[in-house]
Structures are given as C-alpha cells and as structure tokens.
Amino acid sequence: MKKFSFLLLLTGLVPLLSACKSKPDYFSYVSELRSDLFTASEEEFSLTVACISREYPYNSDGIKAPLSDIVEITLEGDADEYSVYILGEEHMGGEMSFRNTRGDFYFSQGVKSFPEGSVTLRVEWEDTSREIVATSVKTENTLSPEEALDCALNNEKATLERMSQSGSFEGEFYVRLLRRDKNYYYVGIVDTNGKMISLLLDSESGELLARHE
C-alpha cells in the first residue's frame, strides 16, 4: 500500500516538475549590448558616449563569443581634427578618427567599468580646449536591457521555438539603446545561418514599433 501511494505521489509530481522547468536565460546569449548613452552639445560640436559590451571576434553567426567592454565616442563638428578625453580616467582618450561614410569623428577604447549618470570630457581642437559634461539619456522609466529583451522575445515565440534544438537555444541577440527624437531599443535576433530579425521597441513601454526580417 505504501509503495502504491508513493507511485501515485511521483505520478502527480511529473506535471508539476514539467511546469516548473525554467526557460533558458536568453540574456546570456546577448553578444552585443549597448547599455547606456551619454550626450552633450555645444555650439561648436555635439558628441555621444556609448557603453558597449561586444563579443570578440564580432561575427553575426548565431554563436556568442566572450564579451569585451568598450566606450565609443562619436562627435560631429566642423574642425579638421579632434581629440577627446574622459576626465578622471587614467589614459582614457586620444585623437579621434574621421569616418567618411558617416561624416563624424570616432574614438573607442576598452574599459574596466562604465560611467553612470554623467561623464565629464575634455574636447580639444585647433588651439581650443573645452570641458563638457555628457549626461545619460536614460530616465527612471527606461526599461533595463533585460526587460527590453523580454518584451522583444514575447513577440517572437515562434522564432524562439524554431531556434531551440534538443532543449537548448541556438542563436544570439543584439540589444542596443538608441537615441533619436526619443529613446528606443533595438533588438536583433540572429540564428546560426546568419539570418537576422530586427525589432524596434519603445524604451519605456516595450511596445513593438517595427519589425524587419
């Protein structure tokens, strides 16, 4: 009788255990994350500081590689050359490169940690030097990158099922905070064939605004 009761107990636990089976940690498959943006504008120039964690080597192959943290600084101005330095960080900064394809100046460097809230920079051009404070575009209502990814994937359940084999997920994600007229999140879903689905989300509600495949 005891053996029969035990078997009944096990039988009852099977559906419960199946229901409790946790879903994959999809955020662990993010191979590029732009977690914050800092912006500043003066009469002579405007700049953006981006905090990025990116895989190396960088390849849209649906396979995540180890991430490196970097700061990317872009600047738009009319001078021929610019240098930029993040104050308070030793050896952080240098001469910027001009990008013909985008018409802006660019600098990037690896970091051990990202700034929070605001960052003070010194911009040098010609015989001029200017200190400026760039502030984060995020507000108290901005979703976290983890929340943004969850919102995106709630709209792509069929895609996730297609990319899941034998109980494991085969793919990678890009999650990027964007700033245009307001804040947005871009989420890219990449499978192992290099096929990408691009989603644009409202940064506060998580509403899906656009989808491209």
Side-chain angles (χ1 to χ4, degrees), residues 12-33:
L13 283 176
V14 169
L16 180 61
L17 291 174
S18 299
C20 293
K21 185 178 180 180
S22 60
K23 66 178 182 179
D25 177 15
Y26 289 118
F27 200 74
S28 67
Y29 292 89
V30 172
S31 60
E32 183 185 7
L33 171 63

Side-chain angles (χ1 to χ4, degrees), residues 7-72:
L7 290 175
L8 284 177
L9 177 62
L10 287 180
T11 303
L13 283 176
V14 169
L16 180 61
L17 291 174
S18 299
C20 293
K21 185 178 180 180
S22 60
K23 66 178 182 179
D25 177 15
Y26 289 118
F27 200 74
S28 67
Y29 292 89
V30 172
S31 60
E32 183 185 7
L33 171 63
R34 185 189 297 159
S35 56
D36 208 347
L37 292 169
F38 301 81
T39 61
S41 182
E42 292 282 304
E43 183 177 350
E44 299 89 349
F45 61 85
S46 61
L47 63 79
T48 299
V49 180
C51 300
I52 300 173
S53 300
R54 180 181 292 150
E55 68 174 0
Y56 183 82
Y58 188 61
N59 193 7
S60 296
D61 56 4
I63 302 173
K64 178 187 173 182
L67 304 182
S68 298
D69 293 337
I70 61 174
V71 164
E72 292 186 346

Side-chain angles (χ1 to χ4, degrees), residues 24 43 65 71 79 83 93 98 103-104 116 119 125 129 132 136 140 160-161 166 181 191:
E43 183 177 350
V71 164
S83 294
F98 182 72
D104 62 6
E116 297 182 7
V119 57
W125 72 100
S129 177
I132 189 171
S136 173
E140 61 182 9
L160 295 180
E161 184 176 351
S166 303
D181 57 318
D191 66 19

